[in-house]
Amino acid sequence: ATLMRPTNDTRELLALARRGLATLFVPGTRYTSAGVLCLELEPSGSRQTTLFDADEDLDGRARLLTAVD
């Protein structure tokens, strides 16, 4: 899946992963573990917003993620 904007927010990443798994999971099917590729990673300080990004409390989000992680 492709993110609409860069993020390191665990909540957003888990929500996207759960949504993807819900579309792929078939009860009764045997699965094998697989790796995950994270491509085009950028430093967390560099963020290019789009025209449609709402004003966000990025400092508050960073403090929350630091406390949770």
Side-chain angles (χ1 to χ4, degrees):
T2 302
L3 297 168
M4 295 303 292
R5 59 179 167 62
T7 187
N8 64 348
D9 188 331
T10 306
R11 298 168 301 169
E12 291 182 40
L13 296 171
L14 287 175
L16 184 63
R18 286 185 183 117
R19 196 169 72 218
L21 287 174
T23 61
L24 297 174
F25 181 74
V26 178
T29 302
R30 293 185 60 150
Y31 292 92
T32 302
S33 63
V36 175
L37 295 177
C38 297
L39 305 173
E40 300 181 35
L41 299 176
E42 297 286 333
S44 62
S46 63
R47 176 178 171 166
Q48 181 174 348
T49 59
T50 69
L51 180 63
F52 304 106
D53 279 344
D55 289 336
E56 295 182 35
D57 181 13
L58 297 178
D59 291 331
R61 179 181 284 192
R63 285 193 307 271
L64 173 66
L65 293 175
T66 299
V68 171
D69 290 341

